[in-house]
Amino acid sequence: MPAIPSPPGNTPPERIRNFSIIAHIDHGKSTLADQMLRLTGVVDARQARAQYLDRMDIERERGITIKSQNVRMPWRSNADGTDYTLHMIDTPGHVDFTYEVSRSLAACEGAVLLVDAAQGIEAQTLANLYLALENDLQIIPVLNKIDLPAAQPDLYAAEIAHIIGCEPDDVLRVSAKTGQGVEDLLDVICREVPPPVGVADAPARAMIFDSVYDIYRGVITYVRVIDGKIIPRQKIKMMSTGATHELLEVGVISPEPVPSQGLGVGEVGYLITGVKDVRQSKVGDTVTDAAKPAAHALGGYRDPNPMVYSGLFPIDGSDFPLLRDALDRLRLNDAALVYEPESSGALGFGFRCGFLGLLHLEITRDRLEREFGLDLISTAPNVVNRVLLEDAREFIVTNPSDWPSGQKIAEIYEPIVKSMIIAPSEYIGAIMELCQTRRGTLLGMDYLSETRVELRYTLPLGEIIFDFFDALKSRTRGYASLDYEEDGEQKADLVKVDILLQGEPVDAFSAIVHKDKAYAYGVSMTTKLRELIPRQQFEVPIQAAIGSRVIARESIRAIRKDVLAKCYGGDITRKRKLLEKQKEGKKRMKMVGRVEVPQEAFIAALSTTESPDSTKK
């Protein structure tokens, strides 16, 4: 039952429980969070709405969680009548947002492992479970959707027990939709999740696990207090940058921001300093008291490595400063985003951005367009390759234009990933065939139960970022789930394919692909451009080339004016003379003419809409 909330800063650490919910997309994580908000009384029936903690329009439209959200809830245990303060951090379930999950788990002592009773544990849930175990969190296994006719709670409880080493009876059964079993779950969280540990009278130390930018109030920083106390009007210091600020407001999220008199050991809340410079508040930094600073910073987060690079260019070149400001602000609450300026002969000035995956790219572009009103073109995504020349020089290639053309290459290395695929056992053959065509190497195979199998493969990252997941889903009728993590690099036979218009390379269409797939890329790109580029006054050849060798060609036919229209009857020599004159004119025009490629052709040729919509992972 709901308790009367104790004021922030006065709650003894032994009454605080910090926990996270980890689950696969569509396993009911946001619905369970809604039910907890309703049961603890922090959201009344009038305010309630589905996916209450998903604040972004994109999250609500796609039905996925992109940003971690934290909320403070009071709860009186039914077992012993004690009043507890629960801090719940709702986490994303998609592989591209694992970094968000890792930051959330570092601020908790326990994790609710939520599994759909009709589908069983999925690859990404398993990956997040291992992440929680690495952080020494107390795991509470829960089966959701037990009210569904297709639910098989006994089968999947045995599967979870086998994975985490508990008894099937220890797995809780709930229905987030109807509320069945959710009260028992809250009691179990109070009983099993350990209280936070910290020294109340030590110098203040708090870990920044998230930040957002508010146009009126500046940077809002979310922290978890480890030692000491943080109060309004206190002078604080950021330990990595040394910057000092005065705290204008300290508060908690319950689930809307509520100002408070301070935050004590183990509490989660927000700080506002009024600072507008987004670089002042770094995720993973330690906040301490400026007057009495702590001796050592807390262990920060491991910086995420971008897996996929793509260029983002404004359609209107004058929007470049707006794009720079937008990326600065977005970086504040998406620490995994990296970017640097670049220019393209075809597209003008823009930014080369690094992403954790294709969905991360889609979501970032979507947010830039919606939240900042920009119109953008994104170039075809590519991975980071390392090229060694025969003279021992080394190039890190994040962009096809960085490729060392015309030089003798000794070795090329491409990034590889360790992937985990979970699927019904009848699809093993189809999955193995797909992985072999993508140059995969089988590492091992385990049966989770009689009917479900886990396959582990090493695959080149470049082979899976486009349509691998799409192909996997279609071959397994939608039953397979995929998770991957980086695993170093391997030697590869890669080439750069240039697209030439009238003999001139267009940098925006270049790509780095495996030698075996170069011809297919060349043919598809030349065919696509033939349809998209309007006809000129002269014939335009479109060629795909590796170095100086052309591997595919299409031609855009010239627009012909009928110069013989006025010649009816008469001598053939006059007609021939007119045709020769036209031919000379076209040749001269071709020498001085330049092929104009309209923006629509760039957008259509470079669009990533043909790539899988990975939200369904």
Side-chain angles (χ1 to χ4, degrees), residues 365-388:
R365 184 179 153 178
D366 230 355
R367 288 183 68 186
L368 287 167
E369 290 183 340
R370 288 183 189 211
E371 294 173 26
F372 302 97
L374 295 164
D375 283 327
L376 302 172
I377 297 176
S378 57
T379 60
N382 56 278
V383 299
V384 190
N385 298 304
R386 189 163 64 90
V387 180
L388 287 174

mmCIF file of all heavy atoms in Angstrom, residues 365-388:
data_model
loop_
_atom_site.group_PDB
_atom_site.id
_atom_site.type_symbol
_atom_site.label_atom_id
_atom_site.label_comp_id
_atom_site.label_asym_id
_atom_site.label_seq_id
_atom_site.Cartn_x
_atom_site.Cartn_y
_atom_site.Cartn_z
ATOM 1 N N ARG A 365 18.523 11.131 -35.862
ATOM 2 C CA ARG A 365 18.108 11.976 -36.988
ATOM 3 C C ARG A 365 16.669 12.454 -36.793
ATOM 4 O O ARG A 365 16.348 13.618 -37.018
ATOM 5 C CB ARG A 365 18.243 11.168 -38.283
ATOM 6 C CG ARG A 365 17.921 12.000 -39.501
ATOM 7 C CD ARG A 365 18.073 11.223 -40.776
ATOM 8 N NE ARG A 365 17.196 11.800 -41.776
ATOM 9 C CZ ARG A 365 17.117 11.369 -43.021
ATOM 10 N NH1 ARG A 365 17.859 10.373 -43.409
ATOM 11 N NH2 ARG A 365 16.301 11.928 -43.860
ATOM 12 N N ASP A 366 15.814 11.537 -36.328
ATOM 13 C CA ASP A 366 14.409 11.869 -36.056
ATOM 14 C C ASP A 366 14.305 12.984 -35.020
ATOM 15 O O ASP A 366 13.527 13.924 -35.167
ATOM 16 C CB ASP A 366 13.704 10.611 -35.514
ATOM 17 C CG ASP A 366 12.414 10.343 -36.274
ATOM 18 O OD1 ASP A 366 12.058 11.170 -37.118
ATOM 19 O OD2 ASP A 366 11.767 9.306 -36.014
ATOM 20 N N ARG A 367 15.109 12.871 -33.943
ATOM 21 C CA ARG A 367 15.051 13.872 -32.871
ATOM 22 C C ARG A 367 15.567 15.229 -33.355
ATOM 23 O O ARG A 367 15.017 16.275 -33.003
ATOM 24 C CB ARG A 367 15.874 13.406 -31.659
ATOM 25 C CG ARG A 367 15.228 12.261 -30.908
ATOM 26 C CD ARG A 367 16.019 11.880 -29.677
ATOM 27 N NE ARG A 367 15.991 12.925 -28.660
ATOM 28 C CZ ARG A 367 16.698 12.882 -27.539
ATOM 29 N NH1 ARG A 367 17.491 11.857 -27.307
ATOM 30 N NH2 ARG A 367 16.623 13.850 -26.657
ATOM 31 N N LEU A 368 16.632 15.223 -34.161
ATOM 32 C CA LEU A 368 17.157 16.488 -34.692
ATOM 33 C C LEU A 368 16.112 17.181 -35.568
ATOM 34 O O LEU A 368 15.964 18.404 -35.522
ATOM 35 C CB LEU A 368 18.439 16.235 -35.504
ATOM 36 C CG LEU A 368 19.693 15.883 -34.703
ATOM 37 C CD1 LEU A 368 20.784 15.365 -35.632
ATOM 38 C CD2 LEU A 368 20.202 17.078 -33.921
ATOM 39 N N GLU A 369 15.395 16.384 -36.357
ATOM 40 C CA GLU A 369 14.395 16.976 -37.257
ATOM 41 C C GLU A 369 13.178 17.491 -36.486
ATOM 42 O O GLU A 369 12.658 18.558 -36.774
ATOM 43 C CB GLU A 369 13.988 15.951 -38.324
ATOM 44 C CG GLU A 369 15.126 15.681 -39.310
ATOM 45 C CD GLU A 369 14.747 14.736 -40.438
ATOM 46 O OE1 GLU A 369 13.758 13.999 -40.284
ATOM 47 O OE2 GLU A 369 15.449 14.744 -41.465
ATOM 48 N N ARG A 370 12.722 16.717 -35.471
ATOM 49 C CA ARG A 370 11.518 17.111 -34.734
ATOM 50 C C ARG A 370 11.780 18.193 -33.702
ATOM 51 O O ARG A 370 11.060 19.180 -33.630
ATOM 52 C CB ARG A 370 10.943 15.898 -34.005
ATOM 53 C CG ARG A 370 10.297 14.908 -34.930
ATOM 54 C CD ARG A 370 9.716 13.819 -34.089
ATOM 55 N NE ARG A 370 9.263 12.725 -34.902
ATOM 56 C CZ ARG A 370 8.252 11.943 -34.580
ATOM 57 N NH1 ARG A 370 7.607 12.146 -33.466
ATOM 58 N NH2 ARG A 370 7.882 10.960 -35.362
ATOM 59 N N GLU A 371 12.820 17.970 -32.875
ATOM 60 C CA GLU A 371 13.031 18.867 -31.735
ATOM 61 C C GLU A 371 13.687 20.176 -32.138
ATOM 62 O O GLU A 371 13.549 21.179 -31.452
ATOM 63 C CB GLU A 371 13.875 18.156 -30.667
ATOM 64 C CG GLU A 371 13.155 16.965 -30.036
ATOM 65 C CD GLU A 371 14.049 16.150 -29.103
ATOM 66 O OE1 GLU A 371 15.011 16.729 -28.553
ATOM 67 O OE2 GLU A 371 13.778 14.948 -28.928
ATOM 68 N N PHE A 372 14.425 20.177 -33.269
ATOM 69 C CA PHE A 372 15.142 21.392 -33.655
ATOM 70 C C PHE A 372 14.715 21.915 -35.029
ATOM 71 O O PHE A 372 15.299 22.876 -35.526
ATOM 72 C CB PHE A 372 16.655 21.133 -33.631
ATOM 73 C CG PHE A 372 17.154 20.679 -32.282
ATOM 74 C CD1 PHE A 372 17.331 19.330 -32.009
ATOM 75 C CD2 PHE A 372 17.407 21.591 -31.275
ATOM 76 C CE1 PHE A 372 17.777 18.900 -30.763
ATOM 77 C CE2 PHE A 372 17.848 21.174 -30.029
ATOM 78 C CZ PHE A 372 18.031 19.836 -29.768
ATOM 79 N N GLY A 373 13.717 21.276 -35.650
ATOM 80 C CA GLY A 373 13.156 21.771 -36.913
ATOM 81 C C GLY A 373 14.126 21.788 -38.074
ATOM 82 O O GLY A 373 14.099 22.678 -38.920
ATOM 83 N N LEU A 374 15.032 20.777 -38.146
ATOM 84 C CA LEU A 374 16.019 20.723 -39.227
ATOM 85 C C LEU A 374 15.591 19.739 -40.310
ATOM 86 O O LEU A 374 14.909 18.760 -40.021
ATOM 87 C CB LEU A 374 17.374 20.279 -38.664
ATOM 88 C CG LEU A 374 18.053 21.232 -37.670
ATOM 89 C CD1 LEU A 374 19.143 20.497 -36.913
ATOM 90 C CD2 LEU A 374 18.640 22.429 -38.396
ATOM 91 N N ASP A 375 16.006 20.002 -41.560
ATOM 92 C CA ASP A 375 15.827 19.031 -42.654
ATOM 93 C C ASP A 375 17.206 18.478 -42.986
ATOM 94 O O ASP A 375 18.107 19.247 -43.353
ATOM 95 C CB ASP A 375 15.235 19.704 -43.898
ATOM 96 C CG ASP A 375 13.744 19.957 -43.732
ATOM 97 O OD1 ASP A 375 13.098 19.137 -43.065
ATOM 98 O OD2 ASP A 375 13.261 20.983 -44.241
ATOM 99 N N LEU A 376 17.372 17.159 -42.852
ATOM 100 C CA LEU A 376 18.715 16.573 -42.969
ATOM 101 C C LEU A 376 18.791 15.482 -44.021
ATOM 102 O O LEU A 376 17.805 14.811 -44.308
ATOM 103 C CB LEU A 376 19.144 15.967 -41.618
ATOM 104 C CG LEU A 376 19.180 16.910 -40.409
ATOM 105 C CD1 LEU A 376 19.436 16.105 -39.150
ATOM 106 C CD2 LEU A 376 20.251 17.962 -40.579
ATOM 107 N N ILE A 377 19.994 15.309 -44.575
ATOM 108 C CA ILE A 377 20.325 14.147 -45.404
ATOM 109 C C ILE A 377 21.340 13.344 -44.599
ATOM 110 O O ILE A 377 22.296 13.915 -44.066
ATOM 111 C CB ILE A 377 21.000 14.560 -46.727
ATOM 112 C CG1 ILE A 377 20.068 15.395 -47.602
ATOM 113 C CG2 ILE A 377 21.458 13.335 -47.507
ATOM 114 C CD1 ILE A 377 20.736 15.903 -48.872
ATOM 115 N N SER A 378 21.141 12.024 -44.494
ATOM 116 C CA SER A 378 22.185 11.202 -43.857
ATOM 117 C C SER A 378 22.802 10.304 -44.928
ATOM 118 O O SER A 378 22.084 9.721 -45.730
ATOM 119 C CB SER A 378 21.603 10.366 -42.714
ATOM 120 O OG SER A 378 20.568 9.558 -43.167
ATOM 121 N N THR A 379 24.122 10.226 -44.938
ATOM 122 C CA THR A 379 24.796 9.385 -45.938
ATOM 123 C C THR A 379 24.724 7.926 -45.496
ATOM 124 O O THR A 379 24.410 7.633 -44.341
ATOM 125 C CB THR A 379 26.268 9.804 -46.106
ATOM 126 O OG1 THR A 379 26.918 9.655 -44.840
ATOM 127 C CG2 THR A 379 26.397 11.239 -46.562
ATOM 128 N N ALA A 380 25.031 7.036 -46.420
ATOM 129 C CA ALA A 380 24.958 5.595 -46.112
ATOM 130 C C ALA A 380 25.881 5.273 -44.936
ATOM 131 O O ALA A 380 27.032 5.717 -44.911
ATOM 132 C CB ALA A 380 25.384 4.792 -47.337
ATOM 133 N N PRO A 381 25.386 4.519 -43.931
ATOM 134 C CA PRO A 381 26.219 4.220 -42.760
ATOM 135 C C PRO A 381 27.388 3.317 -43.127
ATOM 136 O O PRO A 381 27.271 2.472 -44.007
ATOM 137 C CB PRO A 381 25.268 3.481 -41.812
ATOM 138 C CG PRO A 381 23.923 3.573 -42.412
ATOM 139 C CD PRO A 381 24.072 3.913 -43.843
ATOM 140 N N ASN A 382 28.525 3.502 -42.463
ATOM 141 C CA ASN A 382 29.648 2.578 -42.642
ATOM 142 C C ASN A 382 30.404 2.432 -41.320
ATOM 143 O O ASN A 382 30.238 3.238 -40.411
ATOM 144 C CB ASN A 382 30.596 3.046 -43.751
ATOM 145 C CG ASN A 382 31.109 4.431 -43.510
ATOM 146 O OD1 ASN A 382 30.435 5.399 -43.818
ATOM 147 N ND2 ASN A 382 32.298 4.556 -42.937
ATOM 148 N N VAL A 383 31.205 1.372 -41.232
ATOM 149 C CA VAL A 383 31.903 1.062 -39.980
ATOM 150 C C VAL A 383 33.337 1.600 -40.046
ATOM 151 O O VAL A 383 33.776 2.098 -41.069
ATOM 152 C CB VAL A 383 31.891 -0.463 -39.705
ATOM 153 C CG1 VAL A 383 30.475 -0.969 -39.565
ATOM 154 C CG2 VAL A 383 32.625 -1.227 -40.801
ATOM 155 N N VAL A 384 34.071 1.489 -38.930
ATOM 156 C CA VAL A 384 35.446 2.020 -38.854
ATOM 157 C C VAL A 384 36.426 0.925 -39.265
ATOM 158 O O VAL A 384 36.507 -0.114 -38.616
ATOM 159 C CB VAL A 384 35.778 2.448 -37.405
ATOM 160 C CG1 VAL A 384 37.086 3.203 -37.363
ATOM 161 C CG2 VAL A 384 34.667 3.292 -36.826
ATOM 162 N N ASN A 385 37.161 1.161 -40.351
ATOM 163 C CA ASN A 385 38.161 0.191 -40.817
ATOM 164 C C ASN A 385 39.568 0.741 -40.598
ATOM 165 O O ASN A 385 39.768 1.955 -40.552
ATOM 166 C CB ASN A 385 37.962 -0.104 -42.305
ATOM 167 C CG ASN A 385 36.610 -0.731 -42.582
ATOM 168 O OD1 ASN A 385 36.278 -1.755 -42.019
ATOM 169 N ND2 ASN A 385 35.802 -0.110 -43.445
ATOM 170 N N ARG A 386 40.528 -0.178 -40.463
ATOM 171 C CA ARG A 386 41.929 0.224 -40.279
ATOM 172 C C ARG A 386 42.726 -0.290 -41.473
ATOM 173 O O ARG A 386 42.697 -1.483 -41.777
ATOM 174 C CB ARG A 386 42.461 -0.383 -38.969
ATOM 175 C CG ARG A 386 43.826 0.129 -38.552
ATOM 176 C CD ARG A 386 44.075 -0.186 -37.079
ATOM 177 N NE ARG A 386 44.127 -1.623 -36.838
ATOM 178 C CZ ARG A 386 45.241 -2.347 -36.897
ATOM 179 N NH1 ARG A 386 46.394 -1.788 -37.202
ATOM 180 N NH2 ARG A 386 45.219 -3.639 -36.646
ATOM 181 N N VAL A 387 43.421 0.629 -42.153
ATOM 182 C CA VAL A 387 44.163 0.274 -43.369
ATOM 183 C C VAL A 387 45.656 0.463 -43.128
ATOM 184 O O VAL A 387 46.093 1.533 -42.699
ATOM 185 C CB VAL A 387 43.705 1.158 -44.559
ATOM 186 C CG1 VAL A 387 44.467 0.785 -45.827
ATOM 187 C CG2 VAL A 387 42.206 1.024 -44.783
ATOM 188 N N LEU A 388 46.443 -0.598 -43.381
ATOM 189 C CA LEU A 388 47.907 -0.526 -43.275
ATOM 190 C C LEU A 388 48.496 -0.501 -44.680
ATOM 191 O O LEU A 388 48.181 -1.363 -45.508
ATOM 192 C CB LEU A 388 48.452 -1.748 -42.530
ATOM 193 C CG LEU A 388 48.228 -1.816 -41.013
ATOM 194 C CD1 LEU A 388 48.712 -3.156 -40.491
ATOM 195 C CD2 LEU A 388 48.971 -0.700 -40.312
#
